[in-house]
Amino acid sequence: MKVGVLGSGDVGKTLASGFIKHGHQVMLGTRTPGKLASWAAQNPAGSVGGFGDAAAFAEMIVLAVKGNAAAEVLRLAGPQNLAGKCVIDATNPIQEAPPVNGVLRFFTSFDKSLMEQLQSEFESASFVKAFNSVGNALMIDPQFEAGKPTMFICGNDASAKKSVSVILDEFGWEVADMGSAEAARAIEPLCMLWCIPGFLRNEWTHAFKLLRK
């Protein structure tokens, strides 16, 4: 599959490298392609371009930027390049403010998630929430003695969620489909919960597991 990753931070680079590792064609999109020379050298099978280049190249798009930049990046990518495509939304609506007792602050409310806002503006794309509830070091092929960790996803398009579930299985995750886009109101705050042990005790090597009886 051709995958366009929008975002050149640690999450974007990790996911782009992970897709390459698992046999996909990848273009990493950024405002400043020159700063990705090191990544490009380490990933010769991948390519680098602007946001519009990566979105036009892609069959599947990964949005991996700061939450407060997400809408602008998608506009720069071009709505025409998003139309009809699955967009894996790995963003979180984190405020530019320090955590309080380890708890991050969000700029959204519990009545409307960031993903819902993005889906509302970019109606022709099919957003699927994923990869927002774990650190980038554990996103690809996580190894835990207790078995596969759980990735919570949601979105309005069943076909898009199926495609993302296949990717997550490739990447070593168990998938828990929480339903439509409204479920992102619950999934996005998992980022807060995941980060608390890190901020309080410098513990960053955990993941969530949904147990079924």
mmCIF file of all heavy atoms in Angstrom, residues 120-168:
data_model
loop_
_atom_site.group_PDB
_atom_site.id
_atom_site.type_symbol
_atom_site.label_atom_id
_atom_site.label_comp_id
_atom_site.label_asym_id
_atom_site.label_seq_id
_atom_site.Cartn_x
_atom_site.Cartn_y
_atom_site.Cartn_z
ATOM 1 N N SER A 120 -15.578 16.628 10.509
ATOM 2 C CA SER A 120 -16.600 17.587 10.096
ATOM 3 C C SER A 120 -16.079 18.532 9.018
ATOM 4 O O SER A 120 -16.796 18.860 8.065
ATOM 5 C CB SER A 120 -17.073 18.393 11.315
ATOM 6 O OG SER A 120 -18.029 19.361 10.935
ATOM 7 N N GLU A 121 -14.818 18.967 9.142
ATOM 8 C CA GLU A 121 -14.266 19.888 8.150
ATOM 9 C C GLU A 121 -13.883 19.176 6.858
ATOM 10 O O GLU A 121 -14.087 19.721 5.765
ATOM 11 C CB GLU A 121 -13.035 20.603 8.713
ATOM 12 C CG GLU A 121 -12.415 21.570 7.706
ATOM 13 C CD GLU A 121 -11.310 22.447 8.276
ATOM 14 O OE1 GLU A 121 -11.110 22.452 9.509
ATOM 15 O OE2 GLU A 121 -10.650 23.144 7.474
ATOM 16 N N PHE A 122 -13.325 17.966 6.990
ATOM 17 C CA PHE A 122 -12.850 17.232 5.810
ATOM 18 C C PHE A 122 -13.765 16.026 5.589
ATOM 19 O O PHE A 122 -13.386 14.867 5.810
ATOM 20 C CB PHE A 122 -11.392 16.826 6.005
ATOM 21 C CG PHE A 122 -10.485 17.990 6.287
ATOM 22 C CD1 PHE A 122 -10.165 18.347 7.596
ATOM 23 C CD2 PHE A 122 -9.970 18.766 5.257
ATOM 24 C CE1 PHE A 122 -9.337 19.424 7.873
ATOM 25 C CE2 PHE A 122 -9.146 19.857 5.519
ATOM 26 C CZ PHE A 122 -8.841 20.191 6.826
ATOM 27 N N GLU A 123 -14.975 16.324 5.146
ATOM 28 C CA GLU A 123 -16.036 15.318 5.078
ATOM 29 C C GLU A 123 -15.740 14.200 4.089
ATOM 30 O O GLU A 123 -16.241 13.079 4.257
ATOM 31 C CB GLU A 123 -17.361 15.982 4.693
ATOM 32 C CG GLU A 123 -17.891 16.965 5.707
ATOM 33 C CD GLU A 123 -19.197 17.617 5.263
ATOM 34 O OE1 GLU A 123 -19.401 17.750 4.043
ATOM 35 O OE2 GLU A 123 -20.003 17.950 6.147
ATOM 36 N N SER A 124 -14.955 14.468 3.065
ATOM 37 C CA SER A 124 -14.741 13.465 2.019
ATOM 38 C C SER A 124 -13.717 12.404 2.413
ATOM 39 O O SER A 124 -13.565 11.400 1.719
ATOM 40 C CB SER A 124 -14.293 14.145 0.725
ATOM 41 O OG SER A 124 -13.050 14.801 0.910
ATOM 42 N N ALA A 125 -13.006 12.612 3.513
ATOM 43 C CA ALA A 125 -12.048 11.621 4.012
ATOM 44 C C ALA A 125 -12.703 10.777 5.097
ATOM 45 O O ALA A 125 -13.721 11.164 5.682
ATOM 46 C CB ALA A 125 -10.812 12.318 4.568
ATOM 47 N N SER A 126 -12.122 9.606 5.350
ATOM 48 C CA SER A 126 -12.647 8.707 6.383
ATOM 49 C C SER A 126 -11.614 8.588 7.501
ATOM 50 O O SER A 126 -10.610 7.878 7.365
ATOM 51 C CB SER A 126 -12.942 7.323 5.792
ATOM 52 O OG SER A 126 -13.942 7.409 4.797
ATOM 53 N N PHE A 127 -11.861 9.294 8.595
ATOM 54 C CA PHE A 127 -10.921 9.325 9.711
ATOM 55 C C PHE A 127 -11.098 8.106 10.611
ATOM 56 O O PHE A 127 -12.221 7.689 10.899
ATOM 57 C CB PHE A 127 -11.104 10.599 10.534
ATOM 58 C CG PHE A 127 -10.578 11.832 9.865
ATOM 59 C CD1 PHE A 127 -11.302 12.462 8.860
ATOM 60 C CD2 PHE A 127 -9.350 12.373 10.230
ATOM 61 C CE1 PHE A 127 -10.819 13.596 8.233
ATOM 62 C CE2 PHE A 127 -8.850 13.505 9.608
ATOM 63 C CZ PHE A 127 -9.592 14.118 8.607
ATOM 64 N N VAL A 128 -9.974 7.562 11.062
ATOM 65 C CA VAL A 128 -9.974 6.464 12.031
ATOM 66 C C VAL A 128 -8.963 6.817 13.118
ATOM 67 O O VAL A 128 -7.782 7.024 12.839
ATOM 68 C CB VAL A 128 -9.591 5.122 11.388
ATOM 69 C CG1 VAL A 128 -9.560 4.017 12.451
ATOM 70 C CG2 VAL A 128 -10.560 4.759 10.270
ATOM 71 N N LYS A 129 -9.436 6.891 14.345
ATOM 72 C CA LYS A 129 -8.537 7.187 15.463
ATOM 73 C C LYS A 129 -7.690 5.964 15.780
ATOM 74 O O LYS A 129 -8.201 4.853 15.942
ATOM 75 C CB LYS A 129 -9.354 7.578 16.706
ATOM 76 C CG LYS A 129 -8.548 8.355 17.734
ATOM 77 C CD LYS A 129 -8.447 9.794 17.299
ATOM 78 C CE LYS A 129 -7.406 10.564 18.062
ATOM 79 N NZ LYS A 129 -7.332 11.962 17.614
ATOM 80 N N ALA A 130 -6.384 6.153 15.892
ATOM 81 C CA ALA A 130 -5.475 5.055 16.263
ATOM 82 C C ALA A 130 -4.111 5.644 16.605
ATOM 83 O O ALA A 130 -3.777 6.746 16.177
ATOM 84 C CB ALA A 130 -5.340 4.045 15.126
ATOM 85 N N PHE A 131 -3.336 4.901 17.354
ATOM 86 C CA PHE A 131 -1.957 5.237 17.724
ATOM 87 C C PHE A 131 -1.843 6.439 18.656
ATOM 88 O O PHE A 131 -0.727 6.880 18.939
ATOM 89 C CB PHE A 131 -1.099 5.514 16.470
ATOM 90 C CG PHE A 131 -0.858 4.311 15.608
ATOM 91 C CD1 PHE A 131 -1.399 4.227 14.335
ATOM 92 C CD2 PHE A 131 -0.081 3.254 16.071
ATOM 93 C CE1 PHE A 131 -1.176 3.114 13.532
ATOM 94 C CE2 PHE A 131 0.145 2.127 15.276
ATOM 95 C CZ PHE A 131 -0.408 2.070 14.002
ATOM 96 N N ASN A 132 -2.932 6.971 19.171
ATOM 97 C CA ASN A 132 -2.858 8.148 20.033
ATOM 98 C C ASN A 132 -2.689 7.802 21.509
ATOM 99 O O ASN A 132 -2.427 8.690 22.314
ATOM 100 C CB ASN A 132 -4.123 9.001 19.883
ATOM 101 C CG ASN A 132 -5.316 8.371 20.561
ATOM 102 O OD1 ASN A 132 -5.735 7.275 20.174
ATOM 103 N ND2 ASN A 132 -5.851 9.027 21.576
ATOM 104 N N SER A 133 -2.839 6.523 21.857
ATOM 105 C CA SER A 133 -2.890 6.151 23.274
ATOM 106 C C SER A 133 -1.654 5.389 23.735
ATOM 107 O O SER A 133 -1.699 4.651 24.724
ATOM 108 C CB SER A 133 -4.143 5.303 23.551
ATOM 109 O OG SER A 133 -4.160 4.139 22.735
ATOM 110 N N VAL A 134 -0.529 5.593 23.033
ATOM 111 C CA VAL A 134 0.716 4.932 23.421
ATOM 112 C C VAL A 134 1.878 5.771 22.897
ATOM 113 O O VAL A 134 1.721 6.520 21.919
ATOM 114 C CB VAL A 134 0.773 3.486 22.848
ATOM 115 C CG1 VAL A 134 0.939 3.506 21.329
ATOM 116 C CG2 VAL A 134 1.843 2.647 23.512
ATOM 117 N N GLY A 135 3.029 5.660 23.518
ATOM 118 C CA GLY A 135 4.206 6.398 23.061
ATOM 119 C C GLY A 135 4.788 5.822 21.783
ATOM 120 O O GLY A 135 4.609 4.635 21.475
ATOM 121 N N ASN A 136 5.492 6.644 21.040
ATOM 122 C CA ASN A 136 6.001 6.208 19.737
ATOM 123 C C ASN A 136 6.963 5.028 19.832
ATOM 124 O O ASN A 136 7.060 4.218 18.902
ATOM 125 C CB ASN A 136 6.660 7.375 18.992
ATOM 126 C CG ASN A 136 7.910 7.888 19.681
ATOM 127 O OD1 ASN A 136 7.832 8.611 20.678
ATOM 128 N ND2 ASN A 136 9.072 7.527 19.174
ATOM 129 N N ALA A 137 7.659 4.878 20.954
ATOM 130 C CA ALA A 137 8.616 3.782 21.094
ATOM 131 C C ALA A 137 7.944 2.408 21.083
ATOM 132 O O ALA A 137 8.609 1.393 20.824
ATOM 133 C CB ALA A 137 9.418 3.939 22.383
ATOM 134 N N LEU A 138 6.636 2.376 21.339
ATOM 135 C CA LEU A 138 5.912 1.104 21.414
ATOM 136 C C LEU A 138 4.920 0.925 20.270
ATOM 137 O O LEU A 138 4.181 -0.060 20.250
ATOM 138 C CB LEU A 138 5.158 1.016 22.748
ATOM 139 C CG LEU A 138 6.021 1.006 24.009
ATOM 140 C CD1 LEU A 138 5.153 1.114 25.247
ATOM 141 C CD2 LEU A 138 6.864 -0.259 24.067
ATOM 142 N N MET A 139 4.910 1.814 19.300
ATOM 143 C CA MET A 139 3.886 1.760 18.260
ATOM 144 C C MET A 139 4.075 0.603 17.287
ATOM 145 O O MET A 139 3.109 0.056 16.764
ATOM 146 C CB MET A 139 3.860 3.084 17.485
ATOM 147 C CG MET A 139 3.293 4.232 18.291
ATOM 148 S SD MET A 139 3.297 5.788 17.361
ATOM 149 C CE MET A 139 2.442 6.850 18.543
ATOM 150 N N ILE A 140 5.317 0.222 17.032
ATOM 151 C CA ILE A 140 5.611 -0.800 16.038
ATOM 152 C C ILE A 140 6.137 -2.054 16.726
ATOM 153 O O ILE A 140 7.141 -2.014 17.442
ATOM 154 C CB ILE A 140 6.657 -0.303 15.024
ATOM 155 C CG1 ILE A 140 6.284 1.076 14.483
ATOM 156 C CG2 ILE A 140 6.815 -1.320 13.892
ATOM 157 C CD1 ILE A 140 4.955 1.132 13.753
ATOM 158 N N ASP A 141 5.437 -3.172 16.519
ATOM 159 C CA ASP A 141 5.855 -4.478 17.047
ATOM 160 C C ASP A 141 6.150 -4.442 18.546
ATOM 161 O O ASP A 141 7.249 -4.834 18.993
ATOM 162 C CB ASP A 141 7.085 -4.987 16.286
ATOM 163 C CG ASP A 141 6.831 -5.105 14.789
ATOM 164 O OD1 ASP A 141 5.725 -5.528 14.408
ATOM 165 O OD2 ASP A 141 7.727 -4.750 13.999
ATOM 166 N N PRO A 142 5.198 -3.996 19.373
ATOM 167 C CA PRO A 142 5.423 -3.986 20.825
ATOM 168 C C PRO A 142 5.522 -5.407 21.370
ATOM 169 O O PRO A 142 4.835 -6.313 20.893
ATOM 170 C CB PRO A 142 4.176 -3.271 21.360
ATOM 171 C CG PRO A 142 3.114 -3.568 20.338
ATOM 172 C CD PRO A 142 3.829 -3.575 19.009
ATOM 173 N N GLN A 143 6.378 -5.580 22.348
ATOM 174 C CA GLN A 143 6.590 -6.898 22.944
ATOM 175 C C GLN A 143 6.283 -6.837 24.439
ATOM 176 O O GLN A 143 6.952 -6.120 25.182
ATOM 177 C CB GLN A 143 8.037 -7.362 22.729
ATOM 178 C CG GLN A 143 8.446 -7.478 21.268
ATOM 179 C CD GLN A 143 7.700 -8.561 20.520
ATOM 180 O OE1 GLN A 143 7.474 -9.651 21.075
ATOM 181 N NE2 GLN A 143 7.301 -8.285 19.285
ATOM 182 N N PHE A 144 5.254 -7.574 24.864
ATOM 183 C CA PHE A 144 4.878 -7.651 26.277
ATOM 184 C C PHE A 144 4.680 -9.109 26.661
ATOM 185 O O PHE A 144 4.125 -9.887 25.867
ATOM 186 C CB PHE A 144 3.585 -6.878 26.551
ATOM 187 C CG PHE A 144 3.715 -5.383 26.433
ATOM 188 C CD1 PHE A 144 3.427 -4.735 25.236
ATOM 189 C CD2 PHE A 144 4.115 -4.613 27.521
ATOM 190 C CE1 PHE A 144 3.539 -3.357 25.118
ATOM 191 C CE2 PHE A 144 4.233 -3.240 27.419
ATOM 192 C CZ PHE A 144 3.949 -2.611 26.218
ATOM 193 N N GLU A 145 5.111 -9.460 27.852
ATOM 194 C CA GLU A 145 4.952 -10.840 28.311
ATOM 195 C C GLU A 145 3.486 -11.253 28.349
ATOM 196 O O GLU A 145 3.164 -12.426 28.133
ATOM 197 C CB GLU A 145 5.569 -11.006 29.707
ATOM 198 C CG GLU A 145 7.089 -10.937 29.722
ATOM 199 C CD GLU A 145 7.657 -11.202 31.093
ATOM 200 O OE1 GLU A 145 6.881 -11.573 32.004
ATOM 201 O OE2 GLU A 145 8.889 -11.048 31.268
ATOM 202 N N ALA A 146 2.585 -10.318 28.606
ATOM 203 C CA ALA A 146 1.160 -10.632 28.710
ATOM 204 C C ALA A 146 0.485 -10.770 27.349
ATOM 205 O O ALA A 146 -0.715 -11.044 27.271
ATOM 206 C CB ALA A 146 0.452 -9.554 29.525
ATOM 207 N N GLY A 147 1.243 -10.580 26.267
ATOM 208 C CA GLY A 147 0.660 -10.725 24.939
ATOM 209 C C GLY A 147 0.459 -9.396 24.245
ATOM 210 O O GLY A 147 1.007 -8.366 24.652
ATOM 211 N N LYS A 148 -0.347 -9.413 23.189
ATOM 212 C CA LYS A 148 -0.566 -8.201 22.404
ATOM 213 C C LYS A 148 -1.303 -7.142 23.217
ATOM 214 O O LYS A 148 -2.321 -7.435 23.852
ATOM 215 C CB LYS A 148 -1.401 -8.520 21.161
ATOM 216 C CG LYS A 148 -0.684 -9.290 20.082
ATOM 217 C CD LYS A 148 -1.597 -9.428 18.852
ATOM 218 C CE LYS A 148 -0.887 -10.115 17.705
ATOM 219 N NZ LYS A 148 -1.775 -10.204 16.498
ATOM 220 N N PRO A 149 -0.853 -5.900 23.188
ATOM 221 C CA PRO A 149 -1.617 -4.814 23.799
ATOM 222 C C PRO A 149 -2.796 -4.437 22.903
ATOM 223 O O PRO A 149 -2.879 -4.866 21.744
ATOM 224 C CB PRO A 149 -0.595 -3.678 23.892
ATOM 225 C CG PRO A 149 0.339 -3.938 22.748
ATOM 226 C CD PRO A 149 0.414 -5.430 22.593
ATOM 227 N N THR A 150 -3.696 -3.640 23.444
ATOM 228 C CA THR A 150 -4.913 -3.256 22.740
ATOM 229 C C THR A 150 -4.800 -1.848 22.185
ATOM 230 O O THR A 150 -4.398 -0.930 22.899
ATOM 231 C CB THR A 150 -6.134 -3.313 23.679
ATOM 232 O OG1 THR A 150 -6.229 -4.631 24.248
ATOM 233 C CG2 THR A 150 -7.416 -2.992 22.935
ATOM 234 N N MET A 151 -5.168 -1.696 20.921
ATOM 235 C CA MET A 151 -5.287 -0.368 20.322
ATOM 236 C C MET A 151 -6.765 -0.074 20.131
ATOM 237 O O MET A 151 -7.473 -0.810 19.434
ATOM 238 C CB MET A 151 -4.568 -0.299 18.976
ATOM 239 C CG MET A 151 -4.580 1.090 18.343
ATOM 240 S SD MET A 151 -3.682 2.328 19.311
ATOM 241 C CE MET A 151 -1.993 1.757 19.102
ATOM 242 N N PHE A 152 -7.232 0.989 20.761
ATOM 243 C CA PHE A 152 -8.623 1.401 20.635
ATOM 244 C C PHE A 152 -8.774 2.284 19.402
ATOM 245 O O PHE A 152 -8.023 3.244 19.216
ATOM 246 C CB PHE A 152 -9.059 2.158 21.888
ATOM 247 C CG PHE A 152 -9.033 1.314 23.132
ATOM 248 C CD1 PHE A 152 -7.895 1.272 23.939
ATOM 249 C CD2 PHE A 152 -10.120 0.546 23.492
ATOM 250 C CE1 PHE A 152 -7.852 0.489 25.078
ATOM 251 C CE2 PHE A 152 -10.091 -0.247 24.636
ATOM 252 C CZ PHE A 152 -8.959 -0.275 25.426
ATOM 253 N N ILE A 153 -9.754 1.948 18.558
ATOM 254 C CA ILE A 153 -9.989 2.725 17.352
ATOM 255 C C ILE A 153 -11.457 3.114 17.273
ATOM 256 O O ILE A 153 -12.317 2.528 17.926
ATOM 257 C CB ILE A 153 -9.579 1.964 16.072
ATOM 258 C CG1 ILE A 153 -10.541 0.806 15.782
ATOM 259 C CG2 ILE A 153 -8.151 1.454 16.180
ATOM 260 C CD1 ILE A 153 -10.360 0.178 14.407
ATOM 261 N N CYS A 154 -11.732 4.117 16.432
ATOM 262 C CA CYS A 154 -13.118 4.469 16.136
ATOM 263 C C CYS A 154 -13.149 5.236 14.830
ATOM 264 O O CYS A 154 -12.127 5.737 14.348
ATOM 265 C CB CYS A 154 -13.756 5.282 17.266
ATOM 266 S SG CYS A 154 -13.061 6.949 17.480
ATOM 267 N N GLY A 155 -14.332 5.353 14.250
ATOM 268 C CA GLY A 155 -14.514 6.073 13.003
ATOM 269 C C GLY A 155 -15.864 5.731 12.408
ATOM 270 O O GLY A 155 -16.500 4.744 12.797
ATOM 271 N N ASN A 156 -16.289 6.525 11.454
ATOM 272 C CA ASN A 156 -17.625 6.346 10.878
ATOM 273 C C ASN A 156 -17.672 5.366 9.718
ATOM 274 O O ASN A 156 -18.763 4.916 9.343
ATOM 275 C CB ASN A 156 -18.174 7.702 10.405
ATOM 276 C CG ASN A 156 -18.446 8.650 11.555
ATOM 277 O OD1 ASN A 156 -18.659 8.216 12.693
ATOM 278 N ND2 ASN A 156 -18.432 9.946 11.272
ATOM 279 N N ASP A 157 -16.522 5.049 9.126
ATOM 280 C CA ASP A 157 -16.488 4.220 7.921
ATOM 281 C C ASP A 157 -15.973 2.821 8.264
ATOM 282 O O ASP A 157 -14.818 2.660 8.645
ATOM 283 C CB ASP A 157 -15.598 4.873 6.870
ATOM 284 C CG ASP A 157 -15.650 4.160 5.526
ATOM 285 O OD1 ASP A 157 -15.064 3.060 5.423
ATOM 286 O OD2 ASP A 157 -16.268 4.698 4.587
ATOM 287 N N ALA A 158 -16.840 1.818 8.095
ATOM 288 C CA ALA A 158 -16.473 0.445 8.466
ATOM 289 C C ALA A 158 -15.325 -0.077 7.618
ATOM 290 O O ALA A 158 -14.448 -0.796 8.128
ATOM 291 C CB ALA A 158 -17.688 -0.472 8.328
ATOM 292 N N SER A 159 -15.302 0.262 6.341
ATOM 293 C CA SER A 159 -14.227 -0.209 5.463
ATOM 294 C C SER A 159 -12.887 0.380 5.874
ATOM 295 O O SER A 159 -11.864 -0.320 5.883
ATOM 296 C CB SER A 159 -14.545 0.168 4.011
ATOM 297 O OG SER A 159 -13.503 -0.229 3.146
ATOM 298 N N ALA A 160 -12.875 1.663 6.225
ATOM 299 C CA ALA A 160 -11.640 2.307 6.669
ATOM 300 C C ALA A 160 -11.138 1.666 7.958
ATOM 301 O O ALA A 160 -9.929 1.417 8.113
ATOM 302 C CB ALA A 160 -11.855 3.799 6.860
ATOM 303 N N LYS A 161 -12.047 1.385 8.878
ATOM 304 C CA LYS A 161 -11.635 0.754 10.136
ATOM 305 C C LYS A 161 -11.086 -0.653 9.894
ATOM 306 O O LYS A 161 -10.141 -1.079 10.567
ATOM 307 C CB LYS A 161 -12.803 0.724 11.124
ATOM 308 C CG LYS A 161 -13.142 2.083 11.694
ATOM 309 C CD LYS A 161 -14.094 1.997 12.877
ATOM 310 C CE LYS A 161 -15.491 1.615 12.436
ATOM 311 N NZ LYS A 161 -16.443 1.651 13.579
ATOM 312 N N LYS A 162 -11.652 -1.344 8.917
ATOM 313 C CA LYS A 162 -11.137 -2.673 8.582
ATOM 314 C C LYS A 162 -9.711 -2.571 8.055
ATOM 315 O O LYS A 162 -8.838 -3.364 8.427
ATOM 316 C CB LYS A 162 -12.041 -3.342 7.552
ATOM 317 C CG LYS A 162 -11.631 -4.767 7.215
ATOM 318 C CD LYS A 162 -12.621 -5.425 6.260
ATOM 319 C CE LYS A 162 -12.199 -6.855 5.937
ATOM 320 N NZ LYS A 162 -13.170 -7.511 5.001
ATOM 321 N N SER A 163 -9.456 -1.585 7.204
ATOM 322 C CA SER A 163 -8.114 -1.392 6.658
ATOM 323 C C SER A 163 -7.113 -1.070 7.756
ATOM 324 O O SER A 163 -5.984 -1.582 7.766
ATOM 325 C CB SER A 163 -8.118 -0.267 5.616
ATOM 326 O OG SER A 163 -8.917 -0.611 4.505
ATOM 327 N N VAL A 164 -7.516 -0.215 8.700
ATOM 328 C CA VAL A 164 -6.638 0.146 9.808
ATOM 329 C C VAL A 164 -6.412 -1.057 10.727
ATOM 330 O O VAL A 164 -5.305 -1.263 11.234
ATOM 331 C CB VAL A 164 -7.205 1.342 10.585
ATOM 332 C CG1 VAL A 164 -6.359 1.648 11.818
ATOM 333 C CG2 VAL A 164 -7.282 2.573 9.686
ATOM 334 N N SER A 165 -7.439 -1.865 10.910
ATOM 335 C CA SER A 165 -7.301 -3.057 11.749
ATOM 336 C C SER A 165 -6.286 -4.032 11.169
ATOM 337 O O SER A 165 -5.515 -4.662 11.906
ATOM 338 C CB SER A 165 -8.658 -3.748 11.912
ATOM 339 O OG SER A 165 -9.566 -2.926 12.619
ATOM 340 N N VAL A 166 -6.259 -4.147 9.842
ATOM 341 C CA VAL A 166 -5.270 -5.005 9.191
ATOM 342 C C VAL A 166 -3.859 -4.489 9.469
ATOM 343 O O VAL A 166 -2.940 -5.261 9.784
ATOM 344 C CB VAL A 166 -5.537 -5.084 7.671
ATOM 345 C CG1 VAL A 166 -4.373 -5.776 6.956
ATOM 346 C CG2 VAL A 166 -6.841 -5.835 7.402
ATOM 347 N N ILE A 167 -3.682 -3.181 9.361
ATOM 348 C CA ILE A 167 -2.373 -2.576 9.643
ATOM 349 C C ILE A 167 -1.973 -2.818 11.095
ATOM 350 O O ILE A 167 -0.831 -3.198 11.393
ATOM 351 C CB ILE A 167 -2.407 -1.064 9.349
ATOM 352 C CG1 ILE A 167 -2.596 -0.803 7.850
ATOM 353 C CG2 ILE A 167 -1.139 -0.380 9.870
ATOM 354 C CD1 ILE A 167 -1.482 -1.322 6.971
ATOM 355 N N LEU A 168 -2.892 -2.589 12.005
ATOM 356 C CA LEU A 168 -2.590 -2.774 13.425
ATOM 357 C C LEU A 168 -2.214 -4.221 13.733
ATOM 358 O O LEU A 168 -1.306 -4.476 14.539
ATOM 359 C CB LEU A 168 -3.784 -2.335 14.273
ATOM 360 C CG LEU A 168 -4.006 -0.822 14.337
ATOM 361 C CD1 LEU A 168 -5.376 -0.502 14.909
ATOM 362 C CD2 LEU A 168 -2.914 -0.158 15.174
#
